[in-house]
Amino acid sequence: MPKTKADFPVDKVRRYLEPGPIVLVSSAWRGEKNIMTMGWHTVMEFTPSLVGCVIAGSNHSFDLIRRSKECVINLPTTALTDTVVGIGNCSGADTDKFEKFGLTALPAQKVKAPLIAQCHANFECRLEDARLVERYNFFIFEVVKAHVARRPVHPQTLHYTGDGVFMVSGKILSRRNRFKPEML
Amino acid sequence: MPKTKADFPVDKVRRYLEPGPIVLVSSAWRGEKNIMTMGWHTVMEFTPSLVGCVIAGSNHSFDLIRRSKECVINLPTTALTDTVVGIGNCSGADTDKFEKFGLTALPAQKVKAPLIAQCHANFECRLEDARLVERYNFFIFEVVKAHVARRPVHPQTLHYTGDGVFMVSGKILSRRNRFKPEML
């Protein structure tokens, strides 16, 4: 089911990305759109809100993203497990993945790449730095707009270990009272 | 308790790092050693085994790592939760963190930075690329030697969400039979 979302501060997207979930990256270029799964990403800065990620040249999305200089990082939950696996095991070169997997493409606010309505969160991204793309397929994006579903507060996310095996996010543990205020 | 470990293939460290755990980075330079917590990292390549990570200049470890061009990425489990929090909330500028937290520094095989015996896994790293250090504090390391405890097969890891709150790794879900062989 598509999820209703609220605006979320872009400098706080680490809340969802730092724990290391598999994400779905949507992109668009000249009337074509696509989705890929991505597990190799890291938060790089709060302000501007930077995320670095590896998008291999063998992905059909590579050219769409490199040319449009935009993408959306979408956060799927376990409700989409088989969709995540399916998206990673077919190619946008011969498949309309939105159609094949029954996903809804919603217009984004600041980029042309579409939001995936069924995901828990959508982070609109603009390419900030491409200097490591040629050597490492490493793209640095700025998150320019974030949308997050209000519930659940702690969505069940998928964390890939390789070999077709995922770890599912588990219990929440607060140690807030042991942190220095400036470290929070 | 210190853990007994076996050699592990460096091209398979994504098994432990891709799910996005908080890690402890140990370093050494001219007789001084230190540990920091790190949540901003990503796998970048299988062979060579590359890991990219953000180490802010405000960390005492920044200079030790930049000068020695080495570090060890250690994987703590929930047994070390309070140690992880404590390490992130004090500075190596005025604290011997190995002593303060009762951690055992073992000699590594290929780098001078020490292994943390109590962690589930230790990945010895050499600096591979520093060209984004000045602009983004982003270091790219090559994992040159890996040590992993044989049990448990799926250690309980900590995944940081900010605000003093961790997600603990949960259940394991295999979808191996839905992957194309070449995607495994």
Side-chain angles (χ1 to χ4, degrees):
Chain A
M1 288 281 292
K3 290 171 185 271
T4 307
K5 281 152 215 163
D7 289 351
F8 188 82
V10 292
D11 62 339
K12 292 192 160 50
V13 299
R14 72 97 69 102
R15 159 74 184 80
Y16 296 98
L17 294 178
E18 185 169 337
I22 199 96
V23 295
L24 296 175
V25 178
S26 48
S27 55
W29 176 245
R30 294 195 177 167
E32 186 183 2
K33 58 187 188 302
N34 196 26
I35 314 173
M36 64 172 281
T37 55
M38 182 174 74
W40 291 4
H41 59 79
T42 179
V43 178
M44 293 182 69
E45 186 54 278
F46 295 110
T47 307
S49 176
L50 300 182
V51 177
C53 56
V54 177
I55 298 172
S58 54
N59 287 289
H60 187 69
S61 296
F62 179 87
D63 275 334
L64 276 60
I65 293 169
R66 205 182 41 156
R67 288 178 178 159
S68 65
K69 298 184 166 53
E70 295 177 347
C71 72
V72 177
I73 296 176
N74 305 271
L75 180 67
T77 61
T78 48
L80 292 174
T81 303
D82 290 332
T83 299
V84 166
V85 173
I87 285 171
N89 282 273
C90 66
S91 171
D94 54 21
T95 309
D96 178 333
K97 299 195 192 183
F98 281 92
E99 188 180 312
K100 178 176 172 117
F101 297 102
L103 296 172
T104 310
L106 294 179
Q109 285 184 27
K110 300 199 169 183
V111 301
K112 289 184 180 149
L115 313 177
I116 302 175
Q118 286 81 1
C119 284
H120 183 81
N122 315 106
F123 305 130
E124 301 183 21
C125 297
R126 283 197 194 120
L127 186 58
E128 153 75 15
D129 194 320
R131 84 184 77 175
L132 292 193
V133 169
E134 194 167 341
R135 189 170 176 87
Y136 299 107
N137 292 323
F138 188 71
F139 294 74
I140 300 177
F141 293 107
E142 179 180 355
V143 180
V144 292
K145 180 77 192 172
H147 316 261
V148 177
R150 290 186 191 277
R151 295 280 178 280
V153 174
H154 296 288
Q156 271 210 317
T157 49
L158 294 159
H159 301 251
Y160 194 52
T161 73
D163 284 325
V165 174
F166 296 88
M167 176 274 281
V168 177
S169 62
K171 67 179 178 183
I172 300 299
L173 200 64
S174 177
R175 285 293 184 277
R176 193 174 162 80
N177 59 355
R178 301 183 77 122
F179 276 66
K180 289 184 184 169
E182 69 268 26
M183 302 305 290
L184 284 169
Chain B
M1 287 279 292
K3 290 171 183 269
T4 306
K5 280 151 215 163
D7 289 350
F8 188 82
V10 293
D11 62 340
K12 293 193 161 50
V13 299
R14 72 97 70 101
R15 159 74 186 78
Y16 296 98
L17 294 178
E18 185 169 336
I22 199 96
V23 294
L24 297 174
V25 178
S26 48
S27 54
W29 176 245
R30 294 194 176 166
E32 186 184 1
K33 59 188 188 300
N34 196 26
I35 315 174
M36 64 172 282
T37 55
M38 182 174 74
W40 291 4
H41 58 80
T42 180
V43 178
M44 294 181 70
E45 186 54 276
F46 295 110
T47 307
S49 176
L50 300 183
V51 177
C53 56
V54 176
I55 297 172
S58 54
N59 288 289
H60 186 70
S61 297
F62 179 88
D63 275 334
L64 276 59
I65 293 169
R66 205 182 40 155
R67 288 179 177 158
S68 65
K69 299 183 167 54
E70 295 177 346
C71 72
V72 177
I73 296 176
N74 304 272
L75 180 68
T77 60
T78 48
L80 293 173
T81 303
D82 291 332
T83 298
V84 167
V85 174
I87 285 172
N89 281 274
C90 65
S91 172
D94 54 21
T95 308
D96 178 333
K97 298 194 192 182
F98 281 93
E99 187 180 312
K100 179 177 171 112
F101 298 102
L103 296 171
T104 309
L106 294 179
Q109 284 184 26
K110 299 200 170 183
V111 302
K112 287 183 182 152
L115 314 177
I116 301 176
Q118 286 80 2
C119 284
H120 183 81
N122 315 105
F123 304 130
E124 301 183 23
C125 296
R126 284 198 193 120
L127 185 57
E128 153 76 13
D129 195 319
R131 83 184 78 174
L132 292 193
V133 169
E134 194 167 342
R135 189 168 175 88
Y136 299 109
N137 292 323
F138 189 70
F139 294 73
I140 301 176
F141 293 108
E142 180 181 355
V143 180
V144 292
K145 179 79 191 172
H147 316 261
V148 177
R150 290 186 190 278
R151 297 278 179 280
V153 174
H154 296 288
Q156 271 210 317
T157 49
L158 294 159
H159 301 251
Y160 194 53
T161 74
D163 284 325
V165 174
F166 297 87
M167 176 273 281
V168 177
S169 62
K171 67 179 179 182
I172 300 299
L173 200 63
S174 177
R175 286 292 184 277
R176 193 174 162 82
N177 60 354
R178 302 182 74 121
F179 277 66
K180 289 184 185 170
E182 67 270 24
M183 303 306 289
L184 285 170

